[in-house]
Amino acid sequence: MRYFFVDLIEGFRSLWRWYIGAVALFAAVSASLVLQALALDMPLTSLSVGDFLLYYFAGASQFFAFGGDPFRLPVVWSFVCLFALYLVLWYPYRDFLGFGRVAVVAGGSRWRWWFAKCAWVIVAIAAFCLCAFIVAILSSLLFGGRFSLTASEEMPFLLGLRESQLAEPPYLISSSIAVLFASLAALALFQLLLSLVTGPAISFACSISILFLSAFYFDPLLIGNSMMLARSGCLMEGGVSVFAGMCIAASLAGVSIVMGGLLFSRMDITDKERFK
């Protein structure tokens, strides 16, 4: 626990500006939603908390390579997810090259240090998602919207989702939000594992590749699909179910934690070049 509390203090001390940036990012995306709603004559009082969260993390509907429509990368979703993944990218690496290495030697337990870093990544991702919730709540209240996690029936059309793929309303996204958080945290843990082997820069490039492949190809095993609310079972007919999304996220997180711990416990921590 001592490692974890040190990480909480030192990690958030170095990242508080990033969380301010996250709030500003979600505020800007909220403003974009409001402008689109006004352009479509959609009453702002109908915008719920769920509508704003859906707009942040919608992604795109399933892409068909031979369907005639060109592939469009979901820019807002990509930027939001990559912001979260980059936020947790560098602190574990920098801590290990600094005080963390001394702590590992003094404490005598590599597993405790590794578990503390994994717990910190999960908490940091949870704080990022909390920023999204807070901005969504404030945005909805500002325009007299509904304090609800049920998205408006107009939102899928505002997002340009295919009507033929939509599930039947109401669009209650609360369970899909939980899958989104679990999947984002699992991908961040996988990124942490890769950083032990390849270094932070290449591990982040791998995260970018996973998100791009997920946007291009619909398969629940590509975890980026579980991070798109537009491809969840609550919005898309035949979309990623809550059970499947949670199982995939839990499996990836568990494998990343165990494999990372085994790798770190056998790694030569005196060789700095291994981590560059």
Side-chain angles (χ1 to χ4, degrees):
M1 289 297 290
R2 183 171 55 198
Y3 286 127
F4 176 63
F5 286 127
V6 170
D7 284 335
L8 281 182
I9 296 171
E10 295 301 322
F12 287 106
R13 181 182 295 172
S14 63
L15 291 179
W16 64 270
R17 295 179 183 85
W18 283 90
Y19 284 106
I20 293 176
V23 170
L25 170 64
F26 289 123
V29 178
S30 294
S32 176
L33 171 57
V34 170
L35 291 175
Q36 284 201 47
L38 289 173
L40 296 175
D41 294 325
M42 182 177 173
L44 298 184
T45 53
S46 68
L47 293 176
S48 67
V49 175
D51 288 332
F52 284 98
L53 291 172
L54 176 58
Y55 195 74
Y56 302 158
F57 298 105
S61 56
Q62 183 179 354
F63 171 68
F64 295 97
F66 303 102
D69 294 332
F71 172 70
R72 294 183 178 87
L73 183 69
V75 177
V76 172
W77 171 84
S78 300
F79 192 81
V80 168
C81 292
L82 289 175
F83 189 104
L85 293 170
Y86 190 83
L87 185 146
V88 298
L89 178 66
W90 288 100
Y91 169 71
Y93 169 78
R94 289 171 177 162
D95 179 71
F96 183 80
L97 292 185
F99 176 76
R101 178 169 304 196
V102 178
V104 170
V105 174
S109 175
R110 298 190 183 194
W111 277 97
R112 283 202 297 267
W113 185 90
W114 173 251
F115 283 144
K117 289 294 177 290
C118 292
W120 177 84
V121 165
I122 295 172
V123 171
I125 292 293
F128 177 82
C129 293
L130 180 61
C131 290
F133 266 101
I134 292 173
V135 175
I137 291 171
L138 293 177
S139 299
S140 182
L141 293 177
L142 178 63
F143 297 102
R146 295 174 292 116
F147 190 79
S148 169
L149 288 178
T150 301
S152 304
E153 293 185 19
E154 299 86 356
M155 278 299 295
F157 302 100
L158 183 147
L159 291 166
L161 304 183
R162 292 186 180 91
E163 186 175 2
S164 60
Q165 295 179 317
L166 292 178
E168 291 295 323
Y171 305 121
L172 180 62
I173 65 171
S174 53
S175 56
S176 297
I177 288 288
V179 174
L180 161 70
F181 162 68
S183 302
L184 186 57
L187 183 54
L189 289 171
F190 181 66
Q191 178 180 263
L192 180 63
L193 165 64
L194 288 181
S195 69
L196 285 180
V197 181
T198 65
I202 297 178
S203 68
F204 187 64
C206 290
S207 296
I208 295 174
S209 300
I210 290 171
L211 294 184
F212 179 82
L213 288 174
S214 299
F216 187 80
Y217 185 64
F218 177 72
D219 187 332
L221 293 178
L222 280 171
I223 198 164
N225 285 283
S226 299
M227 294 157 55
M228 293 189 194
L229 295 182
R231 297 187 183 180
S232 65
C234 71
L235 244 75
M236 175 182 166
E237 196 70 41
V240 181
S241 68
V242 173
F243 178 76
M246 281 297 188
C247 287
I248 292 168
S251 299
L252 180 61
V255 168
S256 299
I257 292 172
V258 173
M259 291 295 293
L262 291 172
L263 177 63
F264 184 63
S265 65
R266 292 167 171 78
M267 187 171 284
D268 180 9
I269 64 174
T270 63
D271 183 8
K272 286 189 179 182
E273 295 300 321
R274 186 181 296 271
F275 294 87
K276 292 184 178 179

PDB file of all heavy atoms in Angstrom, residues 91-121:
ATOM      1  N   TYR A  91       4.427   8.365 -16.541  1.00  0.00           N
ATOM      2  CA  TYR A  91       4.768   8.396 -15.116  1.00  0.00           C
ATOM      3  C   TYR A  91       5.435   7.104 -14.631  1.00  0.00           C
ATOM      4  O   TYR A  91       6.475   7.171 -13.945  1.00  0.00           O
ATOM      5  CB  TYR A  91       3.540   8.715 -14.262  1.00  0.00           C
ATOM      6  CG  TYR A  91       3.820   8.497 -12.788  1.00  0.00           C
ATOM      7  CD1 TYR A  91       4.665   9.363 -12.088  1.00  0.00           C
ATOM      8  CD2 TYR A  91       3.301   7.396 -12.119  1.00  0.00           C
ATOM      9  CE1 TYR A  91       4.966   9.136 -10.750  1.00  0.00           C
ATOM     10  CE2 TYR A  91       3.595   7.165 -10.789  1.00  0.00           C
ATOM     11  CZ  TYR A  91       4.431   8.033 -10.104  1.00  0.00           C
ATOM     12  OH  TYR A  91       4.728   7.805  -8.791  1.00  0.00           O
ATOM     13  N   PRO A  92       4.908   5.895 -14.921  1.00  0.00           N
ATOM     14  CA  PRO A  92       5.595   4.684 -14.438  1.00  0.00           C
ATOM     15  C   PRO A  92       7.032   4.582 -14.925  1.00  0.00           C
ATOM     16  O   PRO A  92       7.935   4.174 -14.179  1.00  0.00           O
ATOM     17  CB  PRO A  92       4.714   3.543 -14.991  1.00  0.00           C
ATOM     18  CG  PRO A  92       3.371   4.163 -15.163  1.00  0.00           C
ATOM     19  CD  PRO A  92       3.651   5.568 -15.607  1.00  0.00           C
ATOM     20  N   TYR A  93       7.262   4.956 -16.178  1.00  0.00           N
ATOM     21  CA  TYR A  93       8.610   4.900 -16.762  1.00  0.00           C
ATOM     22  C   TYR A  93       9.556   5.861 -16.049  1.00  0.00           C
ATOM     23  O   TYR A  93      10.664   5.499 -15.649  1.00  0.00           O
ATOM     24  CB  TYR A  93       8.492   5.239 -18.242  1.00  0.00           C
ATOM     25  CG  TYR A  93       9.802   5.483 -18.958  1.00  0.00           C
ATOM     26  CD1 TYR A  93      10.610   4.431 -19.355  1.00  0.00           C
ATOM     27  CD2 TYR A  93      10.211   6.776 -19.252  1.00  0.00           C
ATOM     28  CE1 TYR A  93      11.799   4.655 -20.022  1.00  0.00           C
ATOM     29  CE2 TYR A  93      11.405   7.016 -19.926  1.00  0.00           C
ATOM     30  CZ  TYR A  93      12.187   5.958 -20.309  1.00  0.00           C
ATOM     31  OH  TYR A  93      13.363   6.193 -20.966  1.00  0.00           O
ATOM     32  N   ARG A  94       9.106   7.104 -15.872  1.00  0.00           N
ATOM     33  CA  ARG A  94       9.955   8.097 -15.211  1.00  0.00           C
ATOM     34  C   ARG A  94      10.181   7.768 -13.748  1.00  0.00           C
ATOM     35  O   ARG A  94      11.263   8.000 -13.209  1.00  0.00           O
ATOM     36  CB  ARG A  94       9.315   9.475 -15.355  1.00  0.00           C
ATOM     37  CG  ARG A  94       9.386  10.018 -16.791  1.00  0.00           C
ATOM     38  CD  ARG A  94       8.562  11.260 -16.952  1.00  0.00           C
ATOM     39  NE  ARG A  94       8.681  11.811 -18.303  1.00  0.00           N
ATOM     40  CZ  ARG A  94       7.834  12.673 -18.837  1.00  0.00           C
ATOM     41  NH1 ARG A  94       6.785  13.087 -18.122  1.00  0.00           N
ATOM     42  NH2 ARG A  94       8.013  13.119 -20.060  1.00  0.00           N
ATOM     43  N   ASP A  95       9.168   7.212 -13.098  1.00  0.00           N
ATOM     44  CA  ASP A  95       9.331   6.837 -11.695  1.00  0.00           C
ATOM     45  C   ASP A  95      10.355   5.729 -11.553  1.00  0.00           C
ATOM     46  O   ASP A  95      11.180   5.746 -10.628  1.00  0.00           O
ATOM     47  CB  ASP A  95       7.987   6.382 -11.128  1.00  0.00           C
ATOM     48  CG  ASP A  95       8.109   5.955  -9.674  1.00  0.00           C
ATOM     49  OD1 ASP A  95       8.304   6.839  -8.813  1.00  0.00           O
ATOM     50  OD2 ASP A  95       8.020   4.740  -9.400  1.00  0.00           O
ATOM     51  N   PHE A  96      10.337   4.766 -12.474  1.00  0.00           N
ATOM     52  CA  PHE A  96      11.285   3.674 -12.372  1.00  0.00           C
ATOM     53  C   PHE A  96      12.716   4.142 -12.576  1.00  0.00           C
ATOM     54  O   PHE A  96      13.641   3.636 -11.931  1.00  0.00           O
ATOM     55  CB  PHE A  96      10.963   2.573 -13.382  1.00  0.00           C
ATOM     56  CG  PHE A  96      11.881   1.394 -13.247  1.00  0.00           C
ATOM     57  CD1 PHE A  96      11.663   0.460 -12.260  1.00  0.00           C
ATOM     58  CD2 PHE A  96      12.977   1.248 -14.068  1.00  0.00           C
ATOM     59  CE1 PHE A  96      12.524  -0.604 -12.104  1.00  0.00           C
ATOM     60  CE2 PHE A  96      13.839   0.180 -13.924  1.00  0.00           C
ATOM     61  CZ  PHE A  96      13.604  -0.753 -12.940  1.00  0.00           C
ATOM     62  N   LEU A  97      12.911   5.098 -13.470  1.00  0.00           N
ATOM     63  CA  LEU A  97      14.264   5.591 -13.709  1.00  0.00           C
ATOM     64  C   LEU A  97      14.729   6.540 -12.616  1.00  0.00           C
ATOM     65  O   LEU A  97      15.887   6.929 -12.597  1.00  0.00           O
ATOM     66  CB  LEU A  97      14.327   6.310 -15.065  1.00  0.00           C
ATOM     67  CG  LEU A  97      14.140   5.418 -16.293  1.00  0.00           C
ATOM     68  CD1 LEU A  97      14.346   6.231 -17.558  1.00  0.00           C
ATOM     69  CD2 LEU A  97      15.090   4.230 -16.271  1.00  0.00           C
ATOM     70  N   GLY A  98      13.819   6.904 -11.708  1.00  0.00           N
ATOM     71  CA  GLY A  98      14.178   7.811 -10.626  1.00  0.00           C
ATOM     72  C   GLY A  98      13.999   7.158  -9.269  1.00  0.00           C
ATOM     73  O   GLY A  98      14.636   6.148  -8.944  1.00  0.00           O
ATOM     74  N   PHE A  99      13.055   7.705  -8.499  1.00  0.00           N
ATOM     75  CA  PHE A  99      12.841   7.227  -7.136  1.00  0.00           C
ATOM     76  C   PHE A  99      12.363   5.785  -7.097  1.00  0.00           C
ATOM     77  O   PHE A  99      12.659   5.049  -6.158  1.00  0.00           O
ATOM     78  CB  PHE A  99      11.818   8.134  -6.433  1.00  0.00           C
ATOM     79  CG  PHE A  99      11.452   7.666  -5.052  1.00  0.00           C
ATOM     80  CD1 PHE A  99      12.311   7.855  -3.984  1.00  0.00           C
ATOM     81  CD2 PHE A  99      10.240   7.015  -4.842  1.00  0.00           C
ATOM     82  CE1 PHE A  99      11.970   7.409  -2.715  1.00  0.00           C
ATOM     83  CE2 PHE A  99       9.894   6.573  -3.574  1.00  0.00           C
ATOM     84  CZ  PHE A  99      10.764   6.776  -2.507  1.00  0.00           C
ATOM     85  N   GLY A 100      11.609   5.371  -8.112  1.00  0.00           N
ATOM     86  CA  GLY A 100      11.045   4.032  -8.107  1.00  0.00           C
ATOM     87  C   GLY A 100      12.093   2.942  -8.039  1.00  0.00           C
ATOM     88  O   GLY A 100      11.907   1.929  -7.368  1.00  0.00           O
ATOM     89  N   ARG A 101      13.206   3.147  -8.716  1.00  0.00           N
ATOM     90  CA  ARG A 101      14.267   2.139  -8.696  1.00  0.00           C
ATOM     91  C   ARG A 101      14.841   1.995  -7.281  1.00  0.00           C
ATOM     92  O   ARG A 101      15.078   0.879  -6.806  1.00  0.00           O
ATOM     93  CB  ARG A 101      15.367   2.510  -9.676  1.00  0.00           C
ATOM     94  CG  ARG A 101      16.526   1.538  -9.679  1.00  0.00           C
ATOM     95  CD  ARG A 101      17.445   1.790 -10.841  1.00  0.00           C
ATOM     96  NE  ARG A 101      16.724   1.726 -12.105  1.00  0.00           N
ATOM     97  CZ  ARG A 101      17.321   1.597 -13.283  1.00  0.00           C
ATOM     98  NH1 ARG A 101      18.623   1.497 -13.345  1.00  0.00           N
ATOM     99  NH2 ARG A 101      16.610   1.559 -14.388  1.00  0.00           N
ATOM    100  N   VAL A 102      15.016   3.110  -6.611  1.00  0.00           N
ATOM    101  CA  VAL A 102      15.496   3.067  -5.221  1.00  0.00           C
ATOM    102  C   VAL A 102      14.483   2.368  -4.337  1.00  0.00           C
ATOM    103  O   VAL A 102      14.832   1.564  -3.462  1.00  0.00           O
ATOM    104  CB  VAL A 102      15.775   4.496  -4.708  1.00  0.00           C
ATOM    105  CG1 VAL A 102      16.232   4.462  -3.257  1.00  0.00           C
ATOM    106  CG2 VAL A 102      16.808   5.181  -5.589  1.00  0.00           C
ATOM    107  N   ALA A 103      13.187   2.645  -4.565  1.00  0.00           N
ATOM    108  CA  ALA A 103      12.129   2.042  -3.756  1.00  0.00           C
ATOM    109  C   ALA A 103      12.075   0.535  -3.954  1.00  0.00           C
ATOM    110  O   ALA A 103      11.858  -0.220  -2.999  1.00  0.00           O
ATOM    111  CB  ALA A 103      10.790   2.665  -4.102  1.00  0.00           C
ATOM    112  N   VAL A 104      12.272   0.080  -5.190  1.00  0.00           N
ATOM    113  CA  VAL A 104      12.258  -1.357  -5.455  1.00  0.00           C
ATOM    114  C   VAL A 104      13.407  -2.040  -4.728  1.00  0.00           C
ATOM    115  O   VAL A 104      13.231  -3.092  -4.098  1.00  0.00           O
ATOM    116  CB  VAL A 104      12.350  -1.622  -6.975  1.00  0.00           C
ATOM    117  CG1 VAL A 104      12.584  -3.108  -7.240  1.00  0.00           C
ATOM    118  CG2 VAL A 104      11.074  -1.167  -7.663  1.00  0.00           C
ATOM    119  N   VAL A 105      14.584  -1.459  -4.803  1.00  0.00           N
ATOM    120  CA  VAL A 105      15.750  -2.044  -4.137  1.00  0.00           C
ATOM    121  C   VAL A 105      15.583  -2.034  -2.621  1.00  0.00           C
ATOM    122  O   VAL A 105      15.846  -3.023  -1.937  1.00  0.00           O
ATOM    123  CB  VAL A 105      17.031  -1.287  -4.538  1.00  0.00           C
ATOM    124  CG1 VAL A 105      18.221  -1.806  -3.741  1.00  0.00           C
ATOM    125  CG2 VAL A 105      17.285  -1.434  -6.042  1.00  0.00           C
ATOM    126  N   ALA A 106      15.088  -0.917  -2.094  1.00  0.00           N
ATOM    127  CA  ALA A 106      14.930  -0.798  -0.647  1.00  0.00           C
ATOM    128  C   ALA A 106      13.793  -1.667  -0.128  1.00  0.00           C
ATOM    129  O   ALA A 106      13.897  -2.289   0.927  1.00  0.00           O
ATOM    130  CB  ALA A 106      14.675   0.668  -0.271  1.00  0.00           C
ATOM    131  N   GLY A 107      12.697  -1.730  -0.884  1.00  0.00           N
ATOM    132  CA  GLY A 107      11.532  -2.485  -0.438  1.00  0.00           C
ATOM    133  C   GLY A 107      11.678  -3.977  -0.634  1.00  0.00           C
ATOM    134  O   GLY A 107      11.065  -4.767   0.071  1.00  0.00           O
ATOM    135  N   GLY A 108      12.466  -4.373  -1.614  1.00  0.00           N
ATOM    136  CA  GLY A 108      12.726  -5.783  -1.823  1.00  0.00           C
ATOM    137  C   GLY A 108      11.605  -6.554  -2.498  1.00  0.00           C
ATOM    138  O   GLY A 108      11.659  -7.778  -2.559  1.00  0.00           O
ATOM    139  N   SER A 109      10.582  -5.878  -2.994  1.00  0.00           N
ATOM    140  CA  SER A 109       9.476  -6.586  -3.631  1.00  0.00           C
ATOM    141  C   SER A 109       9.131  -5.925  -4.958  1.00  0.00           C
ATOM    142  O   SER A 109       8.543  -4.837  -4.983  1.00  0.00           O
ATOM    143  CB  SER A 109       8.240  -6.609  -2.725  1.00  0.00           C
ATOM    144  OG  SER A 109       7.143  -7.187  -3.397  1.00  0.00           O
ATOM    145  N   ARG A 110       9.472  -6.566  -6.025  1.00  0.00           N
ATOM    146  CA  ARG A 110       9.131  -6.045  -7.344  1.00  0.00           C
ATOM    147  C   ARG A 110       7.635  -6.175  -7.617  1.00  0.00           C
ATOM    148  O   ARG A 110       7.062  -5.333  -8.295  1.00  0.00           O
ATOM    149  CB  ARG A 110       9.934  -6.776  -8.416  1.00  0.00           C
ATOM    150  CG  ARG A 110      11.437  -6.604  -8.282  1.00  0.00           C
ATOM    151  CD  ARG A 110      12.129  -7.149  -9.511  1.00  0.00           C
ATOM    152  NE  ARG A 110      13.577  -7.071  -9.389  1.00  0.00           N
ATOM    153  CZ  ARG A 110      14.415  -7.227 -10.410  1.00  0.00           C
ATOM    154  NH1 ARG A 110      13.937  -7.478 -11.618  1.00  0.00           N
ATOM    155  NH2 ARG A 110      15.710  -7.152 -10.237  1.00  0.00           N
ATOM    156  N   TRP A 111       7.042  -7.262  -7.122  1.00  0.00           N
ATOM    157  CA  TRP A 111       5.619  -7.465  -7.357  1.00  0.00           C
ATOM    158  C   TRP A 111       4.793  -6.354  -6.725  1.00  0.00           C
ATOM    159  O   TRP A 111       3.832  -5.877  -7.336  1.00  0.00           O
ATOM    160  CB  TRP A 111       5.172  -8.821  -6.817  1.00  0.00           C
ATOM    161  CG  TRP A 111       5.438  -9.949  -7.769  1.00  0.00           C
ATOM    162  CD1 TRP A 111       6.502 -10.803  -7.760  1.00  0.00           C
ATOM    163  CD2 TRP A 111       4.630 -10.341  -8.884  1.00  0.00           C
ATOM    164  NE1 TRP A 111       6.409 -11.692  -8.791  1.00  0.00           N
ATOM    165  CE2 TRP A 111       5.268 -11.452  -9.500  1.00  0.00           C
ATOM    166  CE3 TRP A 111       3.432  -9.862  -9.423  1.00  0.00           C
ATOM    167  CZ2 TRP A 111       4.734 -12.084 -10.631  1.00  0.00           C
ATOM    168  CZ3 TRP A 111       2.899 -10.504 -10.533  1.00  0.00           C
ATOM    169  CH2 TRP A 111       3.550 -11.592 -11.129  1.00  0.00           C
ATOM    170  N   ARG A 112       5.142  -5.929  -5.520  1.00  0.00           N
ATOM    171  CA  ARG A 112       4.376  -4.844  -4.883  1.00  0.00           C
ATOM    172  C   ARG A 112       4.514  -3.552  -5.677  1.00  0.00           C
ATOM    173  O   ARG A 112       3.542  -2.805  -5.829  1.00  0.00           O
ATOM    174  CB  ARG A 112       4.846  -4.632  -3.439  1.00  0.00           C
ATOM    175  CG  ARG A 112       4.335  -5.670  -2.465  1.00  0.00           C
ATOM    176  CD  ARG A 112       4.358  -5.149  -1.030  1.00  0.00           C
ATOM    177  NE  ARG A 112       5.721  -4.848  -0.592  1.00  0.00           N
ATOM    178  CZ  ARG A 112       6.500  -5.701   0.057  1.00  0.00           C
ATOM    179  NH1 ARG A 112       6.069  -6.934   0.312  1.00  0.00           N
ATOM    180  NH2 ARG A 112       7.713  -5.346   0.431  1.00  0.00           N
ATOM    181  N   TRP A 113       5.718  -3.278  -6.176  1.00  0.00           N
ATOM    182  CA  TRP A 113       5.910  -2.074  -6.987  1.00  0.00           C
ATOM    183  C   TRP A 113       5.071  -2.158  -8.260  1.00  0.00           C
ATOM    184  O   TRP A 113       4.429  -1.187  -8.647  1.00  0.00           O
ATOM    185  CB  TRP A 113       7.394  -1.932  -7.338  1.00  0.00           C
ATOM    186  CG  TRP A 113       7.732  -0.670  -8.072  1.00  0.00           C
ATOM    187  CD1 TRP A 113       8.097   0.522  -7.530  1.00  0.00           C
ATOM    188  CD2 TRP A 113       7.735  -0.473  -9.501  1.00  0.00           C
ATOM    189  NE1 TRP A 113       8.329   1.449  -8.516  1.00  0.00           N
ATOM    190  CE2 TRP A 113       8.115   0.869  -9.739  1.00  0.00           C
ATOM    191  CE3 TRP A 113       7.459  -1.297 -10.591  1.00  0.00           C
ATOM    192  CZ2 TRP A 113       8.218   1.397 -11.023  1.00  0.00           C
ATOM    193  CZ3 TRP A 113       7.555  -0.783 -11.879  1.00  0.00           C
ATOM    194  CH2 TRP A 113       7.941   0.570 -12.071  1.00  0.00           C
ATOM    195  N   TRP A 114       5.065  -3.331  -8.910  1.00  0.00           N
ATOM    196  CA  TRP A 114       4.309  -3.495 -10.151  1.00  0.00           C
ATOM    197  C   TRP A 114       2.798  -3.383  -9.901  1.00  0.00           C
ATOM    198  O   TRP A 114       2.087  -2.719 -10.652  1.00  0.00           O
ATOM    199  CB  TRP A 114       4.645  -4.840 -10.780  1.00  0.00           C
ATOM    200  CG  TRP A 114       3.797  -5.171 -11.978  1.00  0.00           C
ATOM    201  CD1 TRP A 114       2.823  -6.108 -12.066  1.00  0.00           C
ATOM    202  CD2 TRP A 114       3.846  -4.537 -13.265  1.00  0.00           C
ATOM    203  NE1 TRP A 114       2.259  -6.121 -13.312  1.00  0.00           N
ATOM    204  CE2 TRP A 114       2.872  -5.161 -14.076  1.00  0.00           C
ATOM    205  CE3 TRP A 114       4.618  -3.515 -13.816  1.00  0.00           C
ATOM    206  CZ2 TRP A 114       2.643  -4.787 -15.394  1.00  0.00           C
ATOM    207  CZ3 TRP A 114       4.399  -3.138 -15.134  1.00  0.00           C
ATOM    208  CH2 TRP A 114       3.425  -3.770 -15.900  1.00  0.00           C
ATOM    209  N   PHE A 115       2.295  -4.028  -8.851  1.00  0.00           N
ATOM    210  CA  PHE A 115       0.871  -3.933  -8.531  1.00  0.00           C
ATOM    211  C   PHE A 115       0.474  -2.490  -8.235  1.00  0.00           C
ATOM    212  O   PHE A 115      -0.626  -2.053  -8.602  1.00  0.00           O
ATOM    213  CB  PHE A 115       0.533  -4.821  -7.329  1.00  0.00           C
ATOM    214  CG  PHE A 115       0.437  -6.282  -7.661  1.00  0.00           C
ATOM    215  CD1 PHE A 115       0.873  -7.237  -6.755  1.00  0.00           C
ATOM    216  CD2 PHE A 115      -0.084  -6.712  -8.872  1.00  0.00           C
ATOM    217  CE1 PHE A 115       0.787  -8.585  -7.055  1.00  0.00           C
ATOM    218  CE2 PHE A 115      -0.162  -8.057  -9.194  1.00  0.00           C
ATOM    219  CZ  PHE A 115       0.270  -8.996  -8.273  1.00  0.00           C
ATOM    220  N   ALA A 116       1.354  -1.761  -7.572  1.00  0.00           N
ATOM    221  CA  ALA A 116       1.063  -0.354  -7.268  1.00  0.00           C
ATOM    222  C   ALA A 116       0.936   0.459  -8.550  1.00  0.00           C
ATOM    223  O   ALA A 116       0.058   1.318  -8.679  1.00  0.00           O
ATOM    224  CB  ALA A 116       2.153   0.231  -6.367  1.00  0.00           C
ATOM    225  N   LYS A 117       1.812   0.183  -9.518  1.00  0.00           N
ATOM    226  CA  LYS A 117       1.740   0.901 -10.794  1.00  0.00           C
ATOM    227  C   LYS A 117       0.458   0.547 -11.546  1.00  0.00           C
ATOM    228  O   LYS A 117      -0.181   1.408 -12.151  1.00  0.00           O
ATOM    229  CB  LYS A 117       2.962   0.576 -11.658  1.00  0.00           C
ATOM    230  CG  LYS A 117       4.244   1.197 -11.142  1.00  0.00           C
ATOM    231  CD  LYS A 117       4.178   2.719 -11.225  1.00  0.00           C
ATOM    232  CE  LYS A 117       5.417   3.381 -10.650  1.00  0.00           C
ATOM    233  NZ  LYS A 117       5.506   3.257  -9.183  1.00  0.00           N
ATOM    234  N   CYS A 118       0.074  -0.725 -11.523  1.00  0.00           N
ATOM    235  CA  CYS A 118      -1.164  -1.135 -12.190  1.00  0.00           C
ATOM    236  C   CYS A 118      -2.376  -0.478 -11.527  1.00  0.00           C
ATOM    237  O   CYS A 118      -3.286   0.000 -12.219  1.00  0.00           O
ATOM    238  CB  CYS A 118      -1.309  -2.656 -12.147  1.00  0.00           C
ATOM    239  SG  CYS A 118      -0.085  -3.545 -13.146  1.00  0.00           S
ATOM    240  N   ALA A 119      -2.375  -0.456 -10.189  1.00  0.00           N
ATOM    241  CA  ALA A 119      -3.478   0.193  -9.477  1.00  0.00           C
ATOM    242  C   ALA A 119      -3.518   1.682  -9.786  1.00  0.00           C
ATOM    243  O   ALA A 119      -4.594   2.271  -9.954  1.00  0.00           O
ATOM    244  CB  ALA A 119      -3.336  -0.039  -7.973  1.00  0.00           C
ATOM    245  N   TRP A 120      -2.351   2.308  -9.884  1.00  0.00           N
ATOM    246  CA  TRP A 120      -2.306   3.734 -10.206  1.00  0.00           C
ATOM    247  C   TRP A 120      -2.874   3.998 -11.595  1.00  0.00           C
ATOM    248  O   TRP A 120      -3.623   4.970 -11.786  1.00  0.00           O
ATOM    249  CB  TRP A 120      -0.867   4.245 -10.139  1.00  0.00           C
ATOM    250  CG  TRP A 120      -0.771   5.690 -10.525  1.00  0.00           C
ATOM    251  CD1 TRP A 120      -0.981   6.773  -9.729  1.00  0.00           C
ATOM    252  CD2 TRP A 120      -0.482   6.198 -11.839  1.00  0.00           C
ATOM    253  NE1 TRP A 120      -0.838   7.935 -10.463  1.00  0.00           N
ATOM    254  CE2 TRP A 120      -0.536   7.612 -11.757  1.00  0.00           C
ATOM    255  CE3 TRP A 120      -0.184   5.613 -13.066  1.00  0.00           C
ATOM    256  CZ2 TRP A 120      -0.301   8.424 -12.858  1.00  0.00           C
ATOM    257  CZ3 TRP A 120       0.042   6.419 -14.161  1.00  0.00           C
ATOM    258  CH2 TRP A 120      -0.011   7.819 -14.055  1.00  0.00           C
ATOM    259  N   VAL A 121      -2.552   3.151 -12.561  1.00  0.00           N
ATOM    260  CA  VAL A 121      -3.078   3.320 -13.917  1.00  0.00           C
ATOM    261  C   VAL A 121      -4.607   3.243 -13.905  1.00  0.00           C
ATOM    262  O   VAL A 121      -5.292   4.067 -14.535  1.00  0.00           O
ATOM    263  CB  VAL A 121      -2.487   2.243 -14.860  1.00  0.00           C
ATOM    264  CG1 VAL A 121      -3.294   2.158 -16.156  1.00  0.00           C
ATOM    265  CG2 VAL A 121      -1.035   2.551 -15.170  1.00  0.00           C
TER     266      VAL A 121
END
